[in-house]
Amino acid sequence: EDLGVRHRLWVYSGRRGVHCWVCDDAVRKWSPALRAAAVEYLSLVKVGARGARNPLPTPEPVEVGFMGLWAPPDPVEGGFMTVWASPEPGEALTPPAQHREPLQAEFPRRKDSAQRWELLRARLERTRGRAAAAAPCYADWEVMLQFCSPRLDINVSKGLNHLLKSPFSVHPKTGRVSVPLDLQRLDQFDPFAVPTITSLCQELDTAGSDGEQEDGGATEPKRRARDYKKTSLAPYVRVFEQFVEGMESARRGERIRRSDLQGDF
């Protein structure tokens, strides 16, 4: 929205990523430099060569940026704890310099990463309570941003000759289909329930046998055209169709507008 982009199709990669297909005519003509600048503008968290977070310059932008993106913060912390509770992410935590030695000594005494996180939060809260003139430390919020903020692939976004994974292709490792996302029902999306190539073959076999029994006189192409609508892929195809229809409608409106302007002269 900040960049004036209207036509965006969000597509699940089939594994753990999400692709945003930007189909505005003007954006598709952007140079690599413009594309890189857009990704830089949209990147909140930057990861270094070894995966370490780049420290933000001052505490204030961290708090403002965090609250601006996720307000109230409670749901974010809940989602963060789900990630944080995965096998030993606390091992990768680099505490602030002034707290590093005591925390590293106490971390092994905690049985899981959730307890380590509470230890870090408690120590930082005490530091913020004592900080009057000195700038308080918001390292705990920076850690949440590091784990929760999306990572943008700048090379895919800026490269005009970069290979792109087409919607409805199949992920080679998971077998799941790369399906468009319905943003109006995003909270109902389950990546583990996405159709796989195996499940679709089974559904097509079932639909094909049922179709042959219902109308044996139908030609093969017509029967196949109907069969995909009987599979679990049908709602995702509809999302794609609605996106294309929206683009077509916008283009017709733009052509009419330009025609009217030319007629005025």
Side-chain angles (χ1 to χ4, degrees), residues 74-140:
D74 295 342
V76 175
E77 186 166 0
F80 162 75
M81 289 306 296
T82 302
V83 178
W84 185 257
S86 60
E88 301 303 330
E91 296 290 348
L93 173 63
T94 302
Q98 67 269 33
H99 304 290
R100 191 168 302 158
E101 187 172 340
L103 283 174
Q104 288 179 341
E106 295 182 46
F107 268 10
R109 304 173 190 172
R110 300 302 191 269
K111 66 177 183 179
D112 55 31
S113 55
Q115 291 187 0
R116 294 174 185 177
W117 175 249
E118 290 303 321
L119 176 65
L120 172 63
R121 290 293 299 271
R123 183 173 290 275
L124 292 176
E125 286 296 335
R126 290 198 298 270
T127 301
R128 283 195 283 264
R130 293 194 301 265
C137 177
Y138 288 98
D140 49 345

Side-chain angles (χ1 to χ4, degrees), residues 59-70:
E60 289 77 13
V62 179
E63 183 174 8
V64 173
F66 184 86
M67 292 302 293
L69 285 172
W70 295 290

Side-chain angles (χ1 to χ4, degrees), residues 168 179 195 200 203 226-241:
F168 300 110
V179 294
L200 285 176
E203 292 173 4
R226 290 195 301 270
D227 282 351
Y228 89 88
K229 297 183 179 180
K230 300 177 183 178
T231 70
S232 54
L233 199 62
Y236 301 107
V237 174
R238 184 55 191 154
V239 172
F240 183 77
E241 291 174 343

